[in-house]
Amino acid sequence: MRDHGGRRAAAGRGRPALLAAALALALTLLASCSSGPPDDPAPPAELGWGFTHTQHSADAGEDRAVRRARTTLEDTGLPQVQHLMGWGSANPEPRPGTYDFAAMDRRIALAEETGATPVITLCCAPDWMKGGREGRTDWSAKSLERAPDPEHFADFAKLAATTARRYPQVRHYLVWNEFKGFWNEAEGRWDHEGYTELYNQVRRALKEVDPDLRVGGPYLVMDSFPPGRTEGASREVRGDWGALDRRTVDAFRYWNRHKDGADFVVVDGSSYTTDGELVPDAFAATAKFTDVGRWVREETGGLPLWWAEYYVEPGDADDQRAGWPEPRRRAVHAAGLAALARGGATTAFYWNPERTTTPCPGCLWRPTHLPDGGTPLPMLDLLARFQREFGPGTRFTAVPGDTSPGLTVLADDRAALVVNHRATARTVRVDGTRLRLEAFEVRWVERG
């Protein structure tokens, strides 16, 4: 508009002014061309509902099954997380300055080719950063889950920056995983000082690569004790499901007060206690996600809330299922997703327990190492529908209807999710409609 106004004014002042205005316009256009295209808009801080790749995924297996799985994922719109080292990725820097991103390249390409938003979890650290030998990788859990030594925090931050430069398409980063290796043995608490220092160095390094990158932490496990336990239990964050471990609360608050900024806050945890108890039952225990989410949002002044992992079935974190039938698993998980949303979560990732053989309880697709693999399983259908109906920006509304126990209802103006907690069929009234629900049925009801 200033150019147009200048031209109109120049017409009244004569030729010299017109030439000056034309020259100024030409210089402006030349500067614009030389500086390249305008910067991409800042990425969103909220991604919705997705999943994390683990050791086995859709980047390997039988060719037909792999193609089938990729086609399956293309239809979901689910964001995908990949760890920097482990869970399908190789050691990214086996020696200082020597990189191996081949496995990581395949996972990021998989996300891109299936239309997903890729996310990277910056964990874990090469052996030489934590007391091991250069060029050697110890994949045992004891070694993998060890944090970099403090004198190598800067090296890990440099690796994070190298990763960000290699994958400019990745705009979201989680710093570390579950405080792995950050335990103060002498004091019997989390080493929240050490983690926060690592977080701050990594965040600064990433922001130097691109200030618009989205970076979050602390990816702390929200461990909880059953009701009635007082020793070590938090007084602030509790419910019928129990109470948070006070050491978790202390660690979270330290990070929150000493962090060098955050674009979102990320936690993880289970609906069951540290003893594997579901209190009062598997469905009601998911209220923990709501209570913890609201507390985290209040503590952080409303930062976008991410759950990097969430579990509703004891034993599923280490891929040893409790023997639930798939309908029950799906129903409890649907109730858990609703509880996460009620707690203010706008991004959450399902830890996909993919394997090479069947049975594969809780998996998102039939294993691609099987000739007939790659087809969607019930959990993928649930996640994809939840993302489609209740993605970022959803405004949830109250729904008139049955308030009897044993029913989860979550709705916006367009759809309602209805979950039957019972192992028997029942008839309920939701939103003015009578519904016949089968045992553990998960039903989507169109509204409006």
Side-chain angles (χ1 to χ4, degrees):
M1 295 179 67
R2 287 193 297 270
D3 289 338
H4 292 165
R7 288 182 178 180
R8 287 195 295 270
R13 293 196 297 268
R15 185 176 180 81
L18 179 62
L19 290 174
L23 178 61
L25 178 60
L27 291 173
T28 299
L29 292 173
L30 178 62
S32 175
C33 292
S34 64
S35 63
D39 292 337
D40 292 335
E46 302 166 326
L47 298 181
W49 315 90
F51 70 91
T52 297
H53 292 283
T54 52
Q55 185 64 32
H56 304 289
S57 194
D59 60 331
E62 297 282 340
D63 289 344
R64 288 185 180 180
V66 166
R67 289 195 296 270
R68 197 177 296 121
R70 289 170 182 258
T71 300
T72 293
L73 289 174
E74 286 174 0
D75 298 330
T76 65
L78 300 174
Q80 301 173 21
V81 182
Q82 177 59 47
H83 283 65
L84 177 63
M85 177 176 172
W87 297 281
S89 290
N91 186 336
E93 192 178 4
R95 291 183 176 86
T98 300
Y99 302 101
D100 179 3
F101 286 105
M104 191 75 173
D105 288 348
R106 289 194 297 272
R107 290 291 174 90
I108 298 302
L110 171 61
E112 284 196 289
E113 291 166 5
T114 54
T117 299
V119 178
I120 290 178
T121 294
L122 293 168
C123 182
C124 295
D127 294 49
W128 60 270
M129 294 186 190
K130 52 196 180 186
R133 296 200 307 269
E134 295 181 10
R136 179 178 180 274
T137 303
D138 180 354
W139 288 107
S140 68
K142 182 178 180 180
S143 175
L144 182 63
E145 297 183 1
R146 180 174 171 178
D149 296 333
E151 57 266 30
H152 287 296
F153 283 0
D155 291 315
F156 188 78
K158 182 180 177 182
L159 173 59
T162 299
T163 303
R165 283 190 289 268
R166 185 177 185 86
Y167 304 112
Q169 68 271 49
V170 178
R171 314 291 286 159
H172 302 81
Y173 288 87
L174 313 182
V175 180
W176 209 242
N177 173 307
E178 295 186 334
F179 269 46
K180 285 178 167 61
F182 287 101
W183 179 255
N184 185 326
E185 192 68 40
E187 299 183 23
R189 64 169 178 83
W190 292 111
D191 176 16
H192 36 258
E193 300 93 343
Y195 169 79
T196 303
E197 177 60 28
L198 175 70
Y199 170 86
N200 285 337
Q201 290 195 34
V202 169
R203 184 178 185 276
R204 286 193 292 267
L206 290 172
K207 292 292 185 175
E208 287 177 4
V209 174
D210 184 346
D212 284 337
L213 291 179
R214 298 288 191 175
V215 185
Y219 203 148
L220 179 63
V221 184
M222 296 287 114
D223 282 334
S224 60
F225 301 129
R229 173 167 170 171
T230 57
E231 182 180 358
S234 165
R235 294 182 179 180
E236 305 101 309
V237 193
R238 56 177 56 238
D240 291 342
W241 46 268
L244 284 191
D245 186 328
R246 188 173 63 244
R247 296 168 297 187
T248 295
V249 172
D250 292 343
F252 184 86
R253 283 180 166 162
Y254 182 91
W255 170 82
N256 191 40
R257 292 167 182 165
H258 295 87
K259 68 183 184 299
D260 186 19
D263 299 295
F264 55 88
V265 57
V266 54
V267 298
D268 87 342
S270 61
S271 58
Y272 47 85
T273 69
T274 54
D275 296 327
E277 298 178 71
L278 289 161
V279 185
D281 59 59
F283 289 95
T286 63
K288 172 183 172 179
F289 296 142
T290 301
D291 295 340
V292 171
R294 289 172 176 169
W295 173 75
V296 167
R297 293 267 292 164
E298 182 178 351
E299 288 284 312
T300 60
L303 277 178
L305 172 59
W306 291 29
W307 285 78
E309 304 171 40
Y310 55 95
Y311 302 97
V312 298
E313 183 179 359
D316 58 0
D318 56 10
D319 204 25
Q320 295 178 357
R321 298 298 191 266
W324 288 0
E326 200 64 25
R328 185 186 186 201
R329 177 176 293 112
R330 187 167 181 261
V332 177
H333 196 88
L337 287 170
L340 290 167
R342 289 195 187 101
T346 50
T347 305
F349 298 101
Y350 180 70
W351 190 270
N352 184 23
E354 207 66 35
R355 58 177 64 175
T356 60
T357 60
T358 56
C360 194
C363 291
L364 297 181
W365 57 84
R366 187 168 170 78
T368 54
H369 289 74
L370 304 176
D372 60 346
T375 53
L377 294 174
M379 200 64 73
L380 182 63
D381 290 338
L382 171 63
L383 283 178
R385 184 67 182 269
F386 204 91
Q387 169 74 331
R388 187 163 65 250
E389 300 291 356
F390 299 144
T394 297
R395 293 182 178 274
F396 295 103
T397 62
V399 176
D402 200 324
T403 59
S404 63
L407 194 67
T408 289
V409 179
L410 183 71
D412 64 3
D413 291 336
R414 300 177 305 164
L417 170 67
V418 184
V419 183
N420 180 17
H421 301 183
R422 297 179 182 175
T424 56
R426 61 191 298 197
T427 299
V428 298
R429 181 176 293 275
V430 175
D431 207 18
T433 302
R434 288 177 60 84
L435 301 177
R436 171 71 176 181
L437 300 176
E438 299 302 321
F440 296 129
E441 183 175 355
V442 176
R443 177 84 64 88
W444 292 91
V445 179
E446 299 296 331
R447 305 187 72 206

